[in-house]
Amino acid sequence: MRRRIMVWLCLTAIIGGSLAFLSSLLKPKYMGRIIEGALIGEYYEETTEHDVIFIGDCEVYENFSPITLWEEYGITSYIRGSAQQLIWQSYYLLEETLKYEKPRVVIFNVLSMKYDKPQKEAYNRMTLDGMKWSLSKVKDIQASMTEDENFIEYVIPLLRYHSRWSELTKEDWKYLFHKDKVSHNGYYMRVDVKPAGTFPKEKKLGNYQFGDNAYEYLDKITKLCKDNDIQLILIKAPSVYPSWYEQWDQQMAEYARKNQIRYINFLDLQEETGIDFQTDTYDGGLHLNLSGAKKASEYLGKLLKEAYQLPDHREDERLAQVWKEKTDFYYQMKAEQEEDLQKYGYIRKFHEE
């Protein structure tokens, strides 16, 4: 009987290990051109806490630089951003983050208020696959799944990605057991420049009211911050496309007023920030490049310092050493991208083959 139990335990371990290995092999690694799916998982490598946590979509992780906040103001921050991060995903990421640390300020980008229901599996995966397993992740998956998705495929990724056998590349083997660091406390760096051009004419909507589900989760974010004595700031990041309608802006301003929280629309602060969409964007105005992100971060850092009295940690020897490693990596990547631009006219990592 004892021998039989040992045999079953060994078989279970072998089968479980094989499933885990194959799932890891077949899951997208997000180490090539599309690195956005690697952003969420990098948070778990942090060894210190942060004064400020950003949550939201590409308008936070491409438009604000934690390194600038550190260098200029000694503010520690992290961006828990992901591609098309929906508001319920922001909520559950914040809920999870508070299990690890308690920031003084949370900054939420409000563009995702436009979505009231799940959108696309590909974007869901870029957020959810990177999260560690917890009750927050379970609830996040349940809130995010489209009609064609199954919960079990998140538990056992092999069931979802089994068809990738024919698509495996050297990247899948290289990053099977480790991943390169791709962000700077969640910030996605681009140093190239593509001036803003013309955009499609702003489409008129039949209804400008944000949905009940979106408001429910905004209420949850607000309550979670208040219950934990965290200052919440709502922002509309300085991206000129897609459209941010005046009616949407008014709703956020009114929500902030009623809930006694701050709302900042960076689109109204072009003169104050000095952002120039001819030089400070890398994709024609959708997102800022490094130059623009520094300007937005300098403005935000000044506000955080003055309005919330955030401490300057640059004299803290332990934190200074941690952030020196971060800034070294930041300037190394900046130099590499600038060298690519000089040699090739483009950044090789992001170049369409």
Side-chain angles (χ1 to χ4, degrees):
M1 181 68 177
R2 194 176 199 177
R3 184 177 178 183
R4 186 176 296 174
I5 292 174
M6 290 299 295
V7 169
W8 278 109
L9 287 175
C10 288
L11 285 173
T12 301
I14 291 171
I15 292 171
S18 298
L19 287 174
F21 173 81
L22 292 173
S23 292
S24 295
L25 175 62
L26 293 170
K27 281 171 58 176
K29 306 303 185 294
Y30 301 113
M31 288 285 104
R33 287 186 55 253
I34 303 174
I35 64 172
E36 292 89 339
L39 299 179
I40 290 297
E42 288 193 347
Y43 172 75
Y44 305 107
E45 300 171 12
E46 289 295 284
T47 59
T48 60
E49 296 186 351
H50 310 90
D51 295 319
V52 179
I53 292 290
F54 294 81
I55 49 176
D57 52 22
C58 56
E59 289 198 347
V60 288
Y61 70 74
E62 299 201 50
N63 290 346
F64 296 95
S65 169
I67 298 299
T68 300
L69 292 177
W70 168 260
E71 289 191 316
E72 298 295 328
Y73 303 101
I75 294 171
T76 58
S77 62
Y78 200 96
I79 302 173
R80 295 219 70 188
S82 53
Q84 201 187 71
Q85 186 179 113
L86 304 172
I87 188 169
W88 44 91
Q89 295 170 346
S90 297
Y91 170 74
Y92 288 117
L93 279 168
L94 177 58
E95 182 182 76
E96 180 207 47
T97 301
L98 296 188
K99 301 294 193 301
Y100 293 89
E101 60 178 311
K102 183 180 173 182
R104 296 172 180 240
V105 177
V106 165
I107 299 175
F108 170 61
N109 188 60
V110 296
L111 181 64
S112 63
M113 286 294 293
K114 64 190 283 189
Y115 299 112
D116 201 49
K117 61 183 181 180
Q119 297 295 304
K120 294 181 180 180
E121 180 191 6
Y123 286 115
N124 284 346
R125 289 284 179 175
M126 288 188 187
T127 298
L128 302 170
D129 281 350
M131 291 180 72
K132 283 189 174 182
W133 279 103
S134 65
L135 182 57
S136 295
K137 176 167 179 171
V138 170
K139 292 185 291 187
D140 203 349
I141 293 170
Q142 291 171 335
S144 301
M145 287 190 303
T146 62
E147 292 182 358
D148 296 329
E149 292 183 81
N150 297 301
F151 184 85
I152 190 63
E153 292 180 346
Y154 282 93
V155 179
I156 308 176
L158 178 61
L159 299 176
R160 174 64 183 86
Y161 295 117
H162 62 87
S163 62
R164 285 194 73 239
W165 279 111
S166 61
E167 303 172 10
L168 290 179
T169 65
K170 290 181 180 180
E171 178 184 295
D172 290 292
W173 294 98
K174 179 179 179 181
Y175 298 109
L176 178 57
F177 298 112
H178 83 283
K179 290 185 177 181
D180 292 338
K181 193 171 183 63
V182 299
S183 80
H184 307 276
N185 274 42
Y187 168 61
Y188 172 97
M189 180 190 289
R190 293 291 294 262
V191 304
D192 39 337
V193 177
K194 182 180 178 181
T198 57
F199 296 103
K201 186 177 180 181
E202 192 173 87
K203 181 181 178 181
K204 291 185 178 180
L205 304 181
N207 181 10
Y208 292 91
Q209 182 68 25
F210 290 131
D212 292 340
N213 193 39
Y215 269 118
E216 179 182 345
Y217 276 97
L218 184 57
D219 287 341
K220 285 176 177 286
I221 290 172
T222 301
K223 184 177 187 302
L224 187 60
C225 288
K226 287 184 177 179
D227 288 349
N228 286 276
D229 195 27
I230 297 169
Q231 297 294 323
L232 174 63
I233 302 176
L234 305 180
I235 64 167
K236 170 59 187 76
S239 292
V240 295
Y241 188 83
S243 298
W244 179 249
Y245 295 94
E246 182 180 350
Q247 293 89 337
W248 291 355
D249 192 58
Q250 291 171 352
Q251 287 180 68
M252 288 298 92
E254 179 62 16
Y255 183 91
R257 186 190 66 77
K258 286 183 177 180
N259 289 275
Q260 297 182 312
I261 54 182
R262 187 183 299 270
Y263 169 57
I264 307 169
N265 183 350
F266 276 85
L267 293 173
D268 295 335
L269 298 173
Q270 189 170 344
E271 182 176 343
E272 290 84 347
T273 60
I275 293 172
D276 183 346
F277 284 100
Q278 295 304 301
T279 58
D280 292 330
T281 176
Y282 77 89
D283 57 2
L286 280 70
H287 308 100
L288 301 179
N289 57 22
L290 179 59
S291 171
K294 286 181 64 176
K295 292 176 181 178
S297 301
E298 287 167 356
Y299 177 89
L300 179 61
K302 185 173 185 293
L303 183 149
L304 290 169
K305 180 68 70 175
E306 293 176 353
Y308 300 97
Q309 291 77 54
L310 295 187
D312 185 337
H313 295 291
R314 286 173 291 184
E315 297 303 316
D316 184 314
E317 291 185 8
R318 183 178 69 97
L319 285 175
Q321 180 57 42
V322 170
W323 281 83
K324 181 182 184 305
E325 294 176 5
K326 293 176 182 294
T327 54
D328 287 348
F329 173 56
Y330 171 89
Y331 285 110
Q332 176 188 342
M333 183 178 289
K334 177 176 181 288
E336 289 172 353
Q337 290 194 12
E338 289 174 342
E339 183 178 358
D340 274 0
L341 287 175
Q342 187 174 6
K343 283 186 176 180
Y344 308 106
Y346 56 83
I347 300 172
R348 288 178 294 173
K349 187 166 189 172
F350 305 113
H351 182 59
E352 289 278 5
E353 297 295 342

